[in-house]
Amino acid sequence: MMMMMMMMMMMVQVCSSSSSSSADFSVRFGNALPSLSRPANSSRIFYSIIFDAGSTGTRIHVYTFIRGETDGLPVLDNEMFQSMKPGLSAYADIPEIAGHTVRQLLRVAKKTVPPVEWKRTPVVFRATAGLRLLPPAKAHALLEEVQDVFDESPFYVPTDSVRIMNGTNEGILAWITVNFLTGRLDRSSQKTVGILDLGGGSTQITFLPKSKKTVESAPTDYIARFQMFNSTYELYTHSYLGNGIKAARLSALGALGSDGLERNVYWSSCLPKKHTGDFSFGGLTYHVSGVPGDETRGGAVKIRDFRKRAKEVCNRPSERSQVNNFLCMDLTYIICLLKDGFGFRESTVLQLTKKVRNVETSWALGAAINHFQKFRIH
C-alpha cells in the first residue's frame, strides 16, 4: 500500500468546479456512555476503540485519554495500534472471514482496556473507499458480519456503530487528527495545517482557507462548518473516490470495469519490462505485465522531487522498482495528481508523515475526539 499523509505547512488556495455528493457529518457516535462504578483514581482516564476499514487493510486504534480542563481538549496518553491485510473488501464473497478479522483485532482492545472499563468503552467501525466501491449488497453483508461480532463483544456499542463513512467525513476527521497532534487545535494557536490523504481507493484534500474568495468560489458542499471546543472552523474539504493510488493503477492499466479478468492481461510501459504478475484490489485479481523493450518514509519534499524521481525510476530499472514494480506508475500518478489535479507549484513543500508524536496520522483519532466533543456541520 502506498498511503501518505501530506501536511501543507503553508495554506494553499484551491478552487474546483467538479461535482460532489452532499456532505453528511451529522452522524453521532451514540448517546451518553452507560454508568459503571470506577476506581476513584481512574476517574480522569477513558478509552476509545476505533476500527479503520480501508481498501488495503483493517486497522484497530485503541486510545487512552486523560480528561483535560472543563470543555477543553483531552490529553492523549497512549495509542495501541495493529492492522491486518488485506482489506475487508477482499472478502466480499465470504463475509464471515471479515468477521474473523475484526474478532482477531478485538483481542488487542481486550488486552489494552482494563476489564472494569469494557462496558463503558465505545467501539466504532468505519469503512472507507474499499467498501464504497463495492456493490451495495456485498458491502451490507460485510457490515452485518461486523455488527454481529460487535454485539458479541463486551464493549459498549453505540447506535450506528458500524457503517461506511463518506469521504468528506474522512477528510475532516483526518484534519482534526493532524492538527490535534501538532498542537494546532489549541485556542492560542494562530495556524493550522492542511492535509492531503492518498489512500488506496480515494484521495482527500482538507484545509482551512486563508482567503474568503476560496470559500466563496468553492462548491457549497466542499465547505464544512462546525464548532469544536468553543472554536468555529470553516474547512474546504473534498474526497475523490476512485483516485486513490491503487484505483489509479487500474485506471492507468485500463482495467477498471472490465470483464474477463481471468483471460485478460493488462500491460503498461510504466511497469518494468520483464515484470509479469498479479495485482489484487477490491476482492478482484488482475493479471499485469510490463511492455518488452521499455523500461515511504517521512520527510519534507518539494513536488519537483517527485517528478525527478519518477524520471529516474521510469527511465531505467533500479533496485527500488524491483521491490515495487508499480513505483514508476505510482510516482507518475502522484506528480500528475499534485500538479494537474490540485494545482500545486513544483516548488511547494510537503511534509510526508505516517506518525506524529509516535501516533498514527489516521482519521481514527479525530473520530475518537469527536465522540467526546460533538460538533455540527451545516
Side-chain angles (χ1 to χ4, degrees):
M1 174 181 70
M2 179 176 285
M3 181 173 182
M4 299 174 288
M5 185 74 73
M6 308 179 207
M7 300 190 299
M8 297 173 286
M9 303 313 291
M10 56 184 295
M11 292 297 101
V12 183
Q13 295 181 16
V14 179
C15 296
S16 174
S17 60
S18 61
S19 61
S20 164
S21 58
S22 60
D24 175 15
F25 202 60
S26 60
V27 175
R28 298 294 183 260
F29 281 78
N31 300 320
L33 295 179
S35 60
L36 184 70
S37 299
R38 309 167 73 206
N41 60 359
S42 66
S43 60
R44 297 182 62 223
I45 298 176
F46 57 91
Y47 303 87
S48 183
I49 305 167
I50 307 292
F51 277 84
D52 172 4
S55 59
T56 58
T58 303
R59 306 113 192 166
I60 185 173
H61 303 258
V62 184
Y63 298 109
T64 304
F65 290 100
I66 300 175
R67 298 181 189 276
E69 299 177 0
T70 303
D71 294 330
L73 286 166
V75 176
L76 179 61
D77 182 63
N78 185 54
E79 176 199 36
M80 186 62 68
F81 170 80
Q82 190 167 319
S83 64
M84 294 182 68
K85 295 183 178 181
L88 296 192
S89 57
Y91 308 125
D93 295 321
I94 41 175
E96 60 273 12
I97 303 299
H100 176 71
T101 297
V102 173
R103 195 174 286 110
Q104 290 287 100
L105 289 173
L106 272 177
R107 294 179 180 178
V108 176
K110 291 180 179 179
K111 293 179 180 179
T112 306
V113 181
V116 71
E117 298 289 341
W118 286 355
K119 289 184 179 179
R120 60 181 297 115
T121 297
V123 57
V124 172
F125 175 99
R126 293 292 181 262
T128 56
L131 264 67
R132 289 183 214 135
L133 291 169
L134 285 180
K138 292 188 175 184
H140 180 74
L142 289 170
L143 296 179
E144 285 290 312
E145 190 70 31
V146 174
Q147 185 68 59
D148 289 343
V149 174
F150 274 20
D151 290 341
E152 296 170 358
S153 80
F155 298 104
Y156 170 57
V157 182
T159 302
D160 203 22
S161 181
V162 179
R163 67 187 299 266
I164 297 175
M165 179 172 61
N166 68 35
T168 297
N169 294 0
E170 185 177 354
I172 294 171
L173 293 176
W175 182 90
I176 292 172
T177 292
V178 173
N179 283 278
F180 174 83
L181 291 175
T182 55
R184 289 177 168 84
L185 290 185
D186 190 281
R187 280 195 239 174
S188 62
S189 178
Q190 298 295 316
K191 296 181 179 180
T192 60
V193 294
I195 64 158
L196 299 174
D197 187 354
L198 180 59
S202 65
T203 184
Q204 285 74 235
I205 179 171
T206 306
F207 63 95
L208 187 66
K210 281 187 175 181
S211 171
K212 288 185 178 180
K213 290 183 179 179
T214 303
V215 176
E216 293 170 354
S217 61
T220 303
D221 50 6
Y222 282 37
I223 303 299
R225 302 174 180 88
F226 61 92
Q227 287 188 334
M228 186 173 63
F229 298 107
N230 297 321
S231 295
T232 301
Y233 298 95
E234 189 173 53
L235 298 181
Y236 179 107
T237 182
H238 187 62
S239 176
Y240 297 88
L241 183 62
N243 287 89
I245 195 67
K246 289 201 169 183
R249 290 178 185 176
L250 296 182
S251 293
L253 290 164
L256 273 183
S258 59
D259 297 322
L261 298 183
E262 68 282 354
R263 302 186 304 273
N264 292 343
V265 176
Y266 301 94
W267 57 266
S268 172
S269 59
C270 290
L271 293 172
K273 62 181 181 180
K274 295 183 179 180
H275 173 72
T276 57
D278 293 337
F279 168 60
S280 297
F281 180 67
L284 299 175
T285 298
Y286 304 82
H287 307 299
V288 300
S289 173
V291 180
D294 291 340
E295 278 305 333
T296 89
R297 292 188 179 182
V301 298
K302 292 183 179 180
I303 290 179
R304 66 168 61 100
D305 296 332
F306 282 108
R307 178 172 56 81
K308 179 181 178 181
R309 190 68 182 114
K311 284 186 176 181
E312 292 175 357
V313 171
C314 296
N315 287 339
R316 67 177 188 272
S318 68
E319 292 183 4
R320 285 179 180 261
S321 67
Q322 292 171 10
V323 173
N324 179 359
N325 291 299
F326 287 92
L327 192 57
C328 168
M329 184 182 292
D330 290 348
L331 287 172
T332 301
Y333 172 67
I334 288 172
I335 187 65
C336 291
L337 177 67
L338 294 174
K339 286 187 61 182
D340 302 328
F342 291 137
F344 293 125
R345 297 185 179 92
E346 287 203 353
S347 59
T348 301
V349 178
L350 303 175
Q351 178 70 34
L352 278 61
T353 181
K354 189 175 186 296
K355 292 187 176 184
V356 174
R357 290 164 47 194
N358 206 35
V359 176
E360 296 282 328
T361 53
S362 162
W363 59 262
L365 177 58
I369 295 171
N370 176 64
H371 178 76
F372 299 99
Q373 172 60 59
K374 296 177 182 178
F375 48 93
R376 299 173 182 173
I377 290 182
H378 55 275

